[in-house]
């Protein structure tokens, strides 16, 4: 009797011993390499801080500056295999650069540094939704990602996308974005006809879609804020109420987190949350090592080992 | 079952079956591929590094060149010294030296520019955009950083109940910058309220100077939307400039007034 299972087992042994050393098979398996590395660099709430804080005796004197950030990013690109460069919103407002130029040099700087994607913060509306769309269209060469603002009939309609899949090496990285509730935070004449949708429902829906499209990592760029004392939706609450999100790059609350927070999502799987203060004082770097594994009932079989590098 | 025979001392499939192995070999590779692909790439290890960006970092010249024309023009208009701070002013809750300075500017200038008696002023805490105003020369640019928004000063007339609601709201927020009013926060409510030097009287109406941002419901103050606004196009930032100019004209500096206008009691 023909025993297929046995055939496969025996053939695999025979074929394996013959072919493992073969260059042809090695080349063919490049796209299914067993280990992949990915480096995520991120900022949030840079608030038009193009220059370092002036040397005036203030707490942050001499810190930040985009020319330094750009050099650091270049250095990291030279040593990392694959890089994704992200920002979690509030690019605009905070120095006279914005009062005079309405965000033009800020967006040009992000483009020059090679940012891959940003989400929208409440202050990015400060010059009005028309200005935001115009600056992004004229000077932005990166994705503007937000899934819980309905831009239908607004100038942002053809500028922003709900998500984007980036390919790095053999990895597919899905990025979605969530924005904060605008009513009561941003003057209505500035955000125009933007319709705010429930960030939990939209993030859940979008993350599931990205997972179903085969994304190895799902990142949520969030301008909701890290934590609040009340019921207001935050990154911590979003992480606990959703599934399929692996990493939340947050903003809005200007929290300088000592290291990323590891929390559980609604299925018990790990979600990493990070935020690097404001004003471009800090650049966050997350070096991921990927291996083939089983995504079990709780999305993930293994716990992610998170360590912090010191002395940076 | 596969028949085997010994060839050169090794166990091998019998020659008449080798073609079957070859035939199935492609199928085998496809299977192996499918098995590998059905096992997703999972993050197994994560190393975090937080880089502080300071003078120790190298500078990218391309970006420096890109910014230069913008920087030159910003510096031309923003480096003008408009005043002087005799101490470093700090932003904090429930009251702070920086908050007191800004609310004082709004109260004094609103009285002048609206030509009427304004009892007290307020600003939302999030509207202070610097955590510190450092001691020394204060440039035009520094005032812009402190108050980058083009918010207008609006004058509103509130009845006693509306004043209580507003101050309770400020208390629940942990304290906002105010001038002309003082109170104690008890259980997130405003108590022991004093306005313009007198105990609060719920039967009275009061005139306040507010920013249009808060008056239009900003920072969660939705209840303020119902209250009519008087406006004359005067910006909060212009009140800061005019107040600092007034201090200069009196040979006075921006000083750190640490009066605790709002207090906490557990």
């Amino acid at each position: 009797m023909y025993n297929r299972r046995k055939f496969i087992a025996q053939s695999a042994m025979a074929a394996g011993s013959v072919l493992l050393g073969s260059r042809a098979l090695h080349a063919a398996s490049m796209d299914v390499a067993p280990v992949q590395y990915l480096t995520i660099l991120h900022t949030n709430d840079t608030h038009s801080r193009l220059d370092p804080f002036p040397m005036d005796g203030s707490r942050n004197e001499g810190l930040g500056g985009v020319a330094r950030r750009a050099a650091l990013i270049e250095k990291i690109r030279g040593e990392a295999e694959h890089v994704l460069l992200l920002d979690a919103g509030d690019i605009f407002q905070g120095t006279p650069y914005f009062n005079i130029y309405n965000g033009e040099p800020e967006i040009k700087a992000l483009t020059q540094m090679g940012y891959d994607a940003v989400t929208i913060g409440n202050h990015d509306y400060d010059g009005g939704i028309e200005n935001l769309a115009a600056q992004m269209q004229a000077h932005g060469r990166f994705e503007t990602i937000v899934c819980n603002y309905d831009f239908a009939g607004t100038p942002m309609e053809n500028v922003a996308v709900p998500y984007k899949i980036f390919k790095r090496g053999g990895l597919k990285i899905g990025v979605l974005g969530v924005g904060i509730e605008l009513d009561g935070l941003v003057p209505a004449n500035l955000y125009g006809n933007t319709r705010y949708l429930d960030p939990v429902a939209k993030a859940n829906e979008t993350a599931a879609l990205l997972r179903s499209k085969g994304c190895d990592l799902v990142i949520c760029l969030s301008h909701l804020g890290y934590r609040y004392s009340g019921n207001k939706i935050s990154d911590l609450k979003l992480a606990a109420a959703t599934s399929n999100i692996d990493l939340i790059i947050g903003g809005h609350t200007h929290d300088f987190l000592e290291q990323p927070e590891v929390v559980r999502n609604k299925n018990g799987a790990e979600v990493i949350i990070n935020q690097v203060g404001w004003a471009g004082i800090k650049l966050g770097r997350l070096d991921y090592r990927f291996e083939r594994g089983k995504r079990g009932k709780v999305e993930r079989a293994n716990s992610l080992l998170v360590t912090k590098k010191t002395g940076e | 079952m596969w028949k085997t025979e010994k060839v050169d001392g090794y166990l091998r499939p019998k020659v008449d079956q080798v073609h079957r192995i070859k035939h199935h070999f492609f199928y085998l590779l496809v299977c192996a591929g499918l098995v590998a692909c059905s096992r997703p790439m999972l993050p197994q290890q994560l190393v975090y590094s937080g880089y502080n960006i300071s003078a120790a970092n190298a500078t990218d010249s391309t970006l420096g060149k890109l910014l230069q024309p913008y920087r030159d023009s910003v510096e031309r208009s923003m480096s003008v010294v408009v005043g002087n701070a005799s101490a470093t002013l700090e932003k904090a809750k429930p009251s702070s030296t920086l908050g007191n300075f800004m609310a004082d500017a709004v109260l004094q200038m609103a009285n002048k520019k609206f030509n009427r008696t304004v009892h007290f002023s307020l600003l939302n805490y999030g509207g202070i955009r610097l955590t510190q105003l450092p001691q020394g020369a204060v440039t035009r640019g520094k005032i812009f950083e402190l108050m980058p928004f083009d918010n207008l000063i609006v004058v509103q007339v509130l009845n006693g109940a509306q004043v209580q609601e507003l101050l309770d709201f400020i208390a629940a927020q942990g304290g906002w910058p105010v001038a002309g009013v003082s109170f104690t926060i008890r259980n997130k409510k405003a108590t022991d309220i004093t306005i313009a030097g007198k105990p609060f009287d719920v039967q009275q109406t009061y005139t306040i100077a507010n920013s249009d941002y808060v008056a239009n419901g900003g920072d969660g103050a939705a209840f303020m939307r119902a209250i009519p606004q008087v406006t004359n196009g005067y910006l909060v930032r212009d009140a800061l400039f005019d107040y600092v100019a007034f201090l200069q004209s009196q040979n006075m500096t921006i000083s750190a007034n640490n009066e605790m206008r709002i207090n906490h009691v557990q």
Side-chain angles (χ1 to χ4, degrees):
Chain A
M1 206 186 106
Y2 184 67
N3 184 332
R4 171 168 283 194
R5 190 183 294 169
K6 195 124 188 183
F7 162 75
I8 291 173
Q10 287 185 341
S11 312
M13 284 200 302
S17 63
V18 174
L19 282 165
L20 265 185
S22 143
R23 291 176 68 107
L25 181 67
H26 185 67
S29 68
M30 283 299 276
D31 61 334
V32 287
V35 176
Q36 292 269 358
Y37 295 92
L38 174 70
T39 298
I40 308 221
L41 300 178
H42 64 96
T43 50
N44 56 276
D45 299 273
T46 51
H47 280 297
S48 302
R49 283 281 156 192
L50 297 168
D51 291 325
F53 280 92
M55 301 302 290
D56 59 5
S58 60
R59 194 176 296 118
N60 296 323
E61 68 173 353
L63 300 182
V66 287
R68 294 170 184 166
R69 198 197 319 161
L72 177 59
I73 289 165
E74 266 322 290
K75 182 172 166 275
I76 295 169
R77 284 190 199 279
E79 60 195 40
E81 201 173 344
H82 300 294
V83 172
L84 206 59
L85 177 56
L86 306 169
D87 184 89
D90 273 9
I91 297 155
F92 290 171
Q93 191 72 279
T95 68
Y97 277 107
F98 184 73
N99 298 92
I100 296 174
Y101 294 108
N102 303 314
E104 178 179 314
E106 289 89 325
I107 300 302
K108 278 186 172 174
L110 294 186
T111 295
Q112 179 64 33
M113 284 183 275
Y115 270 76
D116 294 291
V118 305
T119 194
I120 299 169
N122 47 304
H123 284 298
D124 296 320
Y125 280 103
D126 281 2
I129 188 168
E130 296 80 7
N131 175 68
L132 174 62
Q135 297 295 353
M136 290 297 191
Q137 272 175 320
H139 309 295
R141 300 291 176 270
F142 47 80
E143 298 293 338
T144 302
I145 303 178
V146 59
C147 68
N148 69 321
Y149 290 161
D150 178 357
F151 290 119
T154 77
M156 284 299 287
E157 193 170 8
N158 299 314
V159 178
V161 292
Y163 65 85
K164 169 82 182 174
I165 297 172
F166 295 91
K167 290 184 177 155
R168 291 287 185 278
L171 295 172
K172 278 171 94 174
I173 304 118
V175 179
L176 64 125
V178 285
I180 194 166
E181 175 146 35
L182 299 168
D183 181 44
L185 185 63
V186 177
N189 62 316
L190 297 180
Y191 68 80
N193 291 323
T194 308
R195 244 173 22 99
Y196 168 82
L197 309 172
D198 175 22
V200 173
K202 293 307 286 182
N204 232 340
E205 179 189 314
T206 312
L209 177 70
L210 288 169
R211 191 68 87 199
S212 75
K213 286 174 180 280
C215 288
D216 301 296
L217 188 74
V218 174
I219 303 173
C220 177
L221 294 176
S222 161
H223 202 77
L224 296 177
Y226 177 63
R227 186 207 303 268
Y228 301 104
S229 53
N231 291 324
K232 194 176 162 77
I233 182 71
S234 62
D235 292 340
L236 286 169
K237 289 198 173 83
L238 179 78
T242 55
S243 51
N244 292 309
I245 294 172
D246 297 300
L247 168 66
I248 298 176
I249 299 288
H252 188 63
T253 42
H254 298 193
D255 284 292
F256 283 99
L257 296 187
E258 198 42 48
Q259 64 183 76
E261 185 79 27
V262 184
V263 298
R264 297 278 166 184
N265 76 7
K266 73 172 181 187
N267 293 338
E270 285 176 352
V271 185
I272 309 292
I273 304 176
N274 202 32
Q275 192 177 145
V276 288
W278 71 295
I281 288 171
K282 255 186 138 164
L283 177 74
R285 172 177 179 173
L286 298 154
D287 287 301
Y288 275 97
R289 178 189 156 97
F290 284 78
E291 287 169 38
R292 293 223 168 273
K294 245 190 203 153
R295 203 177 282 281
K297 278 183 187 156
V298 290
E299 293 183 41
R300 170 161 297 131
N302 300 323
S303 274
L304 179 60
L305 180 67
V306 184
T307 49
K308 190 193 171 216
K309 233 180 181 171
T310 51
E312 295 295 353
Chain B
M1 276 299 288
W2 294 87
K3 291 178 185 136
T4 54
E5 59 184 357
K6 256 192 174 171
V7 180
D8 299 339
Y10 292 98
L11 206 60
R12 292 280 164 86
K14 277 189 88 164
V15 174
D16 64 335
Q17 290 182 342
V18 166
H19 75 281
R20 286 182 68 184
I21 294 180
K22 278 184 178 163
H23 177 76
H24 283 95
F25 184 65
F26 178 74
Y27 172 70
L28 168 74
L29 271 188
V30 170
C31 279
L34 282 178
V35 168
C37 289
S38 69
R39 296 178 63 214
M41 292 300 276
L42 292 182
Q44 300 289 339
Q45 208 182 65
L46 176 58
V47 180
Y48 175 67
S49 323
Y51 293 88
N52 291 317
I53 298 184
S54 70
N57 290 85
T59 303
D60 181 270
S61 59
T62 313
L63 215 65
K65 271 181 210 136
L66 186 153
L67 288 182
Q68 199 57 52
Y70 297 98
R71 182 183 295 124
D72 289 347
S73 118
V74 164
E75 275 184 4
R76 262 196 305 279
S77 67
M78 292 295 167
S79 59
V80 184
V81 173
V82 296
N84 199 61
S86 55
T88 295
L89 274 60
E90 302 276 353
K91 173 186 173 180
K93 284 182 176 181
S95 284
S96 67
T97 50
L98 187 52
N100 287 351
F101 158 69
M102 292 177 72
D104 284 345
V106 169
L107 181 59
Q108 175 158 334
M109 296 319 299
N111 265 299
K112 224 175 235 176
K113 295 285 175 178
F114 288 82
N115 212 11
R116 61 199 291 177
T117 301
V118 178
H119 294 100
F120 68 92
S121 67
L122 67 130
L123 289 160
N124 62 311
Y125 184 76
I128 306 179
R129 300 307 290 183
L130 284 179
T131 54
Q132 282 181 320
L133 182 70
Q135 181 180 8
V138 176
T139 60
R140 184 158 183 263
K142 194 60 87 183
I143 299 291
F144 266 86
E145 289 176 25
L146 197 56
M147 184 61 220
F149 315 119
D150 295 337
N151 290 154
L152 297 169
I153 293 182
V154 300
V155 165
Q156 295 175 293
V157 179
L158 277 62
N159 64 34
Q162 288 168 326
V163 168
Q164 183 71 56
E165 186 179 13
L166 171 61
L167 299 184
D168 283 347
F169 175 77
I170 292 174
Q173 304 294 311
W176 278 2
V178 291
V181 62
S182 62
F183 61 86
T184 298
I185 302 172
R186 275 195 189 83
N187 301 320
K188 298 190 173 182
K189 300 278 182 200
T191 62
D192 304 332
I193 302 164
T194 301
I195 296 174
K198 290 179 194 155
F200 167 58
D201 177 0
V202 77
Q203 302 303 321
Q204 255 202 49
T205 59
Y206 293 90
T207 303
I208 71 162
N210 196 354
S211 76
D212 65 338
Y213 175 71
V214 173
N216 290 329
D219 247 356
F223 59 92
M224 293 300 290
R225 284 176 182 158
I227 303 167
Q229 306 171 12
V230 179
T231 172
N232 61 5
Y234 189 57
L235 297 174
V236 172
R237 187 172 52 241
D238 287 337
L240 297 179
F241 279 122
D242 291 342
Y243 183 63
V244 170
F246 164 78
L247 293 176
Q248 288 282 93
S249 73
Q250 303 294 305
N251 289 319
M252 288 162 75
T253 57
I254 300 166
S255 56
N257 180 350
N258 57 14
E259 180 188 0
M260 292 299 285
R261 295 170 184 174
I262 301 176
N263 273 295
H264 259 297
V265 167
Q266 292 312 316

